[in-house]
Amino acid sequence: MQYYYLTAQGEQRGPIEVSEFATYGITAQTMVWCQGMASWQQAGNCPELAGVLATSTPSFTVETPPAPPASNVNEDGVKRPGSGLWFNIISWILATASFVCAIAIIVDGCRSSLSHCYYCDNYIYLSNNNLEAAGMLIVFTAILMLLLVTCTGIFSLVKAGKARSAWREKAYDKMKATASAGKLLAFIGLGTSGLYFVLMLIFALVMCD
């Protein structure tokens, strides 16, 4: 596990491995912090650090330790890029809702056609074929919308993963470019699915009786 520590001047340093404590002169009185700690603590108060501390005593005390470093900010102060996952989730919800509206339209169209059918030589002739054809076209476009949102979502998450990898490697220019591309894909998916859902909802309200 890696730890941060405070120098004699009260400066935050790290992260370093436990095995490096003696090398950096960290004693039982040195203020340390690692992931999972609520606040800075003296190294001597951490049982897991027994046996790895230096024997010299530092000549400083820290009355008000700084806040522990955020887990999403690295030592260069650069924030980890977001994933845009919520944008993709909302896009999938809207695309699925649009597909449900499309199914409702074609079911209502078939029900309306069957209610106006007549028999001729044991065959059923529907009087509203145009409405059924329009319904099938709507369902087809709804399926295409689902595929589009799925593709943009997958590529958006892939870009977000690459941006986080670049953040860990401190390749900040690559991180910014890749993160921007991921956000753009997420916004495209959200915008198109939102617009399509509104149109489908209006169409369903108008056509379904």
Side-chain angles (χ1 to χ4, degrees):
M1 180 177 292
Q2 294 182 322
Y3 283 78
Y4 293 84
Y5 70 96
L6 300 179
T7 66
Q9 293 74 34
E11 297 177 351
Q12 178 182 303
R13 297 288 174 81
I16 62 172
E17 298 292 340
V18 173
S19 58
E20 301 176 289
F21 272 29
T23 303
Y24 286 90
I26 296 176
T27 67
Q29 289 73 36
T30 304
M31 303 299 290
V32 297
W33 180 90
C34 71
Q35 190 72 31
M37 286 185 175
S39 61
W40 293 88
Q41 298 183 24
Q42 288 187 342
N45 294 334
C46 303
E48 66 272 14
L49 300 181
V52 298
L53 302 174
T55 56
S56 60
T57 302
S59 59
F60 80 99
T61 57
V62 179
E63 296 181 358
T64 307
S71 59
N72 63 340
V73 178
N74 62 13
E75 57 269 24
D76 293 335
V78 179
K79 187 176 181 180
R80 181 181 61 198
S83 65
L85 178 62
W86 281 109
F87 291 116
N88 292 317
I89 290 175
I90 296 173
S91 299
W92 283 317
I93 292 174
L94 291 175
T96 303
S98 300
F99 183 75
V100 172
C101 288
I103 294 297
I105 291 172
I106 190 171
V107 168
D108 184 78
C110 291
R111 179 180 59 80
S112 177
S113 297
L114 288 171
S115 64
H116 297 88
C117 69
Y118 60 92
Y119 292 87
C120 180
D121 295 331
N122 296 323
Y123 290 97
I124 297 177
Y125 291 85
L126 301 180
S127 61
N128 206 355
N129 290 328
N130 291 334
L131 182 58
E132 288 183 8
M136 292 298 294
L137 180 61
I138 291 171
V139 171
F140 179 71
T141 59
I143 294 174
L144 289 180
M145 179 57 63
L146 276 172
L147 293 175
L148 174 64
V149 170
T150 298
C151 289
T152 56
I154 290 174
F155 283 111
S156 172
L157 294 177
V158 169
K159 291 290 185 182
K162 291 183 178 179
R164 292 193 173 194
S165 296
W167 172 75
R168 287 190 291 269
E169 297 168 1
K170 300 183 180 181
Y172 300 129
D173 290 338
K174 179 182 178 182
M175 178 199 76
K176 292 178 181 179
T178 311
S180 298
K183 289 179 180 178
L184 178 60
L185 286 170
F187 279 125
I188 289 175
L190 180 60
T192 54
S193 62
L195 178 60
Y196 187 77
F197 171 70
V198 171
L199 293 175
M200 290 298 298
L201 184 60
I202 294 174
F203 200 29
L205 293 175
V206 171
M207 292 189 64
C208 296
D209 50 19

